[in-house]
């Protein structure tokens, strides 16, 4: 586990909301929340967007919110509507709640929470619109236990999208990021329609089209601790078709 960067004031006091979509993550959420709240970021808040998880994740989140009433908010969604819809809902609520910066990460502990202060520092020092915790820039790593087929699928997906969309980002499907709230307002979350993992690519594509600065910093990506991956055949099909849809849908978008 890496040691969190100690940021100077007023950077450490920034209003950061971490949006965490959940579906059947009851075994991982308490550990993630503990690590996030231990960070040297007193302005950090957590927003859990739960898609009515049948394993009781929503109830676990509610108990955590009772224990930390000023730092955790829970959004209970009607059902399993997908990763993209959960992020749009959570990010919109975070901005409406006054967040200056909005982070996004998975609930399965594959993204190291301890990297967040450094990512915030990189965002503030460079005035980037978004900082990506990247697996594929120098210094980035993949857990040795990550299955070979997942490595191949991730590498192929990045190459495929690079070829079609010409977006200069190494880790196009990355889900660990911190955004300036103003950049999210400019992107306009209501026009983001992708679901599943293609949501990440659409956000990167829109940010690029609108001229936003995107910075990648290396992280170590861990294999999930508990539960199973949410990657389905339908998700893979959507991701394969998505670049063609994005080129058509957003062809006239400019700053």
């Amino acid at each position: 586990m890496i040691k969190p960067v100690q940021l100077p004031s007023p950077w450490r006091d920034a209003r950061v909301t971490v949006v965490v979509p959940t579906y059947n993550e009851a075994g991982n959420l308490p550990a993630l929340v503990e690590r996030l709240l231990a960070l040297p970021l007193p302005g950090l808040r957590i927003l859990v967007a739960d898609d009515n998880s049948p394993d009781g994740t929503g109830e676990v989140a509610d108990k955590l919110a009772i224990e930390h009433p000023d730092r955790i908010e829970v959004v209970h969604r009607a059902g399993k509507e997908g990763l993209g819809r959960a992020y749009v809902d959570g990010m919109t609520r975070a901005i409406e709640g006054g967040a200056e910066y909005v982070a996004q990460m998975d609930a399965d502990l594959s993204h190291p929470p301890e990297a967040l202060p450094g990512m915030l520092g990189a965002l503030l020092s460079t005035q980037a619109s978004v900082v990506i915790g990247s697996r594929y820039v120098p210094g980035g790593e993949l857990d040795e236990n990550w299955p070979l087929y997942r490595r191949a699928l991730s590498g192929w997906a990045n190459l495929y999208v690079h070829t079609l969309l010409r977006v200069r980002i190494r880790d196009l499907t990355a889900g660990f990021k911190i955004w300036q709230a103003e950049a999210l307002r400019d992107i306009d979350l209501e026009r983001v329609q992708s679901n599943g993992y293609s949501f990440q690519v659409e956000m990167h594509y829109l940010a690029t089209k609108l001229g936003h600065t995107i910075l990648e910093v290396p992280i170590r990506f861990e294999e999930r601790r508990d539960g199973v991956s949410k990657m389905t055949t339908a998700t893979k099909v959507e991701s394969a078709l998505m670049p063609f849809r994005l080129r058509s849908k957003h062809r006239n978008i400019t700053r």
Side-chain angles (χ1 to χ4, degrees):
M1 188 181 298
I2 64 173
K3 187 175 181 179
V5 170
Q6 297 287 331
L7 297 175
S9 185
W11 288 6
R12 69 188 304 271
D13 302 313
R15 296 193 303 275
V16 178
T17 297
V18 183
V19 178
V20 183
T22 57
Y23 186 77
N24 288 350
E25 296 289 358
N28 290 318
L29 188 60
L32 175 62
V33 165
E34 181 181 2
R35 289 169 65 179
L36 283 170
L37 294 182
L39 297 176
L41 298 173
L44 182 144
R45 303 291 182 270
I46 303 168
L47 191 153
V48 178
D50 184 66
D51 274 9
N52 196 22
S53 299
D55 75 340
T57 302
E59 290 78 4
V60 171
D62 284 338
K63 291 178 182 178
L64 291 167
I66 290 172
E67 295 172 11
H68 307 280
D70 298 325
R71 302 197 71 182
I72 300 176
E73 177 183 357
V74 183
V75 176
H76 293 280
R77 292 160 49 76
K80 194 173 187 297
E81 300 176 21
L83 185 70
R85 298 304 91 208
Y87 266 131
V88 167
D89 191 359
M91 289 174 157
T92 300
R93 290 171 185 260
I95 294 169
E96 291 173 348
E100 299 174 287
Y101 308 97
V102 179
Q104 57 175 104
M105 65 189 307
D106 293 344
D108 61 8
L109 300 174
S110 58
H111 299 144
E114 293 75 21
L116 265 177
M119 291 167 65
L120 175 61
L123 188 83
L124 291 168
S125 62
T126 63
Q127 293 299 299
S129 296
V130 56
V131 170
I132 298 171
S134 177
R135 298 163 288 184
Y136 301 129
V137 293
E141 296 181 72
L142 285 170
D143 192 314
E144 297 83 2
N145 295 318
W146 213 42
L148 182 59
Y149 81 92
R150 292 290 303 277
R151 291 171 180 262
L153 180 62
S154 177
W156 176 85
N158 273 280
L159 177 61
Y160 174 74
V161 176
H162 271 296
T163 302
L164 292 175
L165 297 182
R166 306 294 183 183
V167 178
R168 293 186 177 181
I169 300 172
R170 295 280 189 94
D171 199 345
L172 272 163
T173 58
F176 188 24
K177 287 169 276 194
I178 184 165
W179 296 84
Q180 290 201 33
E182 284 303 317
L184 294 176
R185 291 190 184 96
D186 189 39
I187 286 172
D188 184 4
L189 291 165
E190 290 186 1
R191 68 181 167 196
V192 179
Q193 298 301 314
S194 297
N195 214 339
Y197 295 89
S198 59
F199 167 81
Q200 314 293 2
V201 177
E202 183 169 8
M203 291 292 287
H204 294 151
Y205 185 61
L206 284 168
T208 299
K209 290 275 287 184
L210 290 166
H212 287 283
T213 302
I214 301 172
L215 179 66
E216 293 182 84
V217 298
I219 63 160
R220 176 177 169 81
F221 183 89
E222 301 284 349
E223 177 64 300
R224 68 163 39 248
R225 301 286 182 85
D226 189 46
V228 297
S229 171
K230 311 304 188 297
M231 179 73 74
T232 65
T233 299
T235 299
K236 294 173 186 177
V237 171
E238 181 202 15
S239 298
L241 296 175
M242 172 271 311
F244 299 99
R245 293 172 179 166
L246 290 185
R247 287 198 306 189
S248 174
K249 177 184 174 185
H250 299 311
R251 63 182 179 275
N252 296 321
I253 290 180
T254 57
R255 177 173 287 281

